[in-house]
Amino acid sequence: MKGDVHGEVSQRNIDALSRASRIYIATVRNDGNQSKPVPVWFTLTPERSVLIQTGRSSWIARRVRLGSPVVLWIAKRDGAALIANADIGNDPELTKRIVEDYPRKYLLARFGFYRPRQELFDSGDILAIEITPIRDLPDGFAAKPGSLAPSISNTEALTDRQPSRPQSIARRQLANLLSASRFVLAAIWLVAFIPGNRGPVILGSIALAAAVSDFADGRIARRMGRANGVGRWLDALADIVFILTALWSEALAGAIPIYIPVLIACSFAQYTIDSVAISRSSTPVKSRLGHWGGVINFALVLVLAWIPPPLLPARLVRQASPLLALFYIAAIFERALNYWPLKAIRCDKQGKRNCAGP
């Protein structure tokens, strides 16, 4: 799609796209509902269409093939929003622009992390998605995964539905109750751990219940259309309270070095500051390594709870602690690097190639 940006997109948002270092993208599911928005790197064409890269089997690639439009938020999850058309682009000029612009704009890409490569485009392992903004969405338009998405032509939803029956308070808050249960589980962990009741059945059951609640709460919230900033922050806070309660206890008992929970606490503090003060988002801003860090945190708790020292798996966890520390430091470093996206170094003097970047 090579046309200019539609006239219903304000100059303010076009300028904001030019300055932004990232955007958040949601597609439209088969039932007409919004998907969960995710942060992505991007660059711009001279016509101010947005270019991103994605894996050939990714959710956005599958839905774009089926004709899904894209809802796009600029710079932060609750930033200015647009509705846009999206197409998979095979034009070598588009892939070349992504390959050249990403390292100019993003320091991580310059160091080789997540750097697009022409041979991957040529082999079809990654795809270029061209996103053409169609119109602005109302100020304050919020991401609501599981709720009806706006249409390309107007602010009405893509599909008509009969109003659903009112839900009970408990049903509406089920996901938040599951998240909050991890505060209770953290307290139960301490009640068991401090007197020395550290048997695998007790601590393992607590850890398993916490992991199951963390796995289920977000999925239930999205399915019920109740995903929002409050719920996401409650989920994140409940995670860190339970994880730090469990791992500080294990560290004081000598199962792991004390620097493991210290690094996890530092990572969460950075995560909070990034989301609230830097990105100014109403919801937590995730990162790639940070996501896997959360998985590793629960895995550590489960292993130490179910197979405690001096059994072999727990001993291996302690021996691997320096590698875990390096991973947590890398996650902190990855997030920090995104604070300073690089501007394009040069622009074509004739104006044929506009620099994309903040």
Side-chain angles (χ1 to χ4, degrees):
M1 184 175 299
K2 301 186 182 300
D4 289 343
V5 172
H6 196 284
E8 291 185 52
V9 178
S10 67
Q11 187 63 43
R12 178 195 66 179
N13 284 343
I14 293 172
D15 293 341
L17 272 173
S18 300
R19 296 189 302 268
S21 61
R22 60 184 165 191
I23 55 176
Y24 289 78
I25 286 179
T27 51
V28 179
R29 300 168 179 159
N30 291 336
D31 60 3
N33 288 339
Q34 297 178 42
S35 69
K36 179 181 178 181
V38 294
V40 296
W41 289 354
F42 74 101
T43 188
L44 295 176
T45 69
E47 295 81 19
R48 291 299 187 261
S49 288
V50 175
L51 297 179
I52 66 171
Q53 66 166 345
T54 187
R56 63 183 173 187
S57 59
S58 68
W59 56 266
I60 188 169
R62 293 196 298 267
R63 289 178 181 151
V64 166
R65 287 191 189 100
L66 295 174
S68 168
V70 164
V71 183
L72 181 155
W73 289 266
I74 303 172
K76 52 187 180 179
R77 200 181 298 268
D78 56 354
L82 308 169
I83 187 77
N85 282 321
D87 290 294
I88 294 176
N90 296 319
D91 188 336
E93 292 185 7
L94 299 182
T95 59
K96 181 181 178 182
R97 182 175 291 274
I98 293 174
V99 169
E100 293 179 353
D101 283 358
Y102 272 35
R104 293 171 176 165
K105 187 174 181 181
Y106 299 104
L107 189 58
L108 275 176
R110 177 167 292 185
F111 288 156
F113 295 97
Y114 319 115
R115 183 171 184 165
R117 302 188 183 280
Q118 189 61 51
E119 57 267 25
L120 296 178
F121 284 114
D122 295 339
S123 66
D125 290 330
I126 59 174
L127 305 173
I129 303 288
E130 184 175 12
I131 299 171
T132 305
I134 299 300
R135 63 181 177 85
D136 294 343
L137 292 173
D139 290 344
F141 181 85
K144 295 181 180 178
S147 64
L148 292 175
S151 71
I152 288 290
S153 59
N154 54 52
T155 56
E156 296 176 358
L158 290 177
T159 58
D160 294 327
R161 290 185 180 174
Q162 296 297 323
S164 58
R165 291 180 298 177
Q167 298 175 334
S168 67
I169 294 176
R171 182 175 175 81
R172 291 198 306 270
Q173 299 300 326
L174 177 59
N176 289 342
L177 290 172
L178 280 173
S179 298
S181 71
R182 292 194 288 285
F183 294 115
V184 178
L185 291 170
I188 296 174
W189 179 286
L190 286 177
V191 169
F193 196 94
I194 292 173
N197 298 320
R198 304 173 187 176
V201 174
I202 296 175
L203 295 185
S205 298
I206 297 170
L208 183 60
V212 169
S213 73
D214 183 51
F215 177 82
D217 55 6
R219 287 161 176 80
I220 290 173
R222 290 189 292 273
R223 186 175 183 85
M224 298 179 67
R226 306 295 299 178
N228 54 42
V230 172
R232 291 192 181 98
W233 277 115
L234 178 63
D235 179 30
L237 186 59
D239 282 350
I240 197 64
V241 167
F242 179 80
I243 290 296
L244 288 182
T245 297
L247 293 184
W248 273 111
S249 300
E250 297 290 353
L252 293 175
I256 55 173
I258 198 71
Y259 59 73
I260 294 297
V262 168
L263 285 171
I264 293 172
C266 290
S267 181
F268 183 79
Q270 182 199 30
Y271 170 62
T272 304
I273 294 169
D274 182 14
S275 301
V276 176
I278 298 175
S279 298
R280 296 181 181 179
S281 173
S282 62
T283 58
V285 176
K286 297 183 178 181
S287 66
R288 292 176 177 88
L289 293 183
H291 166 76
W292 288 109
V295 174
I296 290 172
N297 293 342
F298 269 104
L300 285 176
V301 174
L302 286 167
V303 169
L304 294 173
W306 281 106
I307 319 172
L311 297 176
L312 178 61
R315 295 206 311 271
L316 291 176
V317 166
R318 184 172 182 85
Q319 292 171 6
S321 293
L323 294 178
L324 292 173
L326 288 176
F327 174 84
Y328 291 126
I329 292 170
I332 292 170
F333 186 62
E334 178 205 29
R335 187 179 287 274
L337 285 178
N338 281 323
Y339 301 155
W340 300 287
L342 298 180
K343 290 185 177 181
I345 296 176
R346 292 189 180 93
C347 292
D348 189 288
K349 292 183 179 179
Q350 303 300 321
K352 295 179 180 178
R353 184 178 177 81
N354 294 319
C355 286

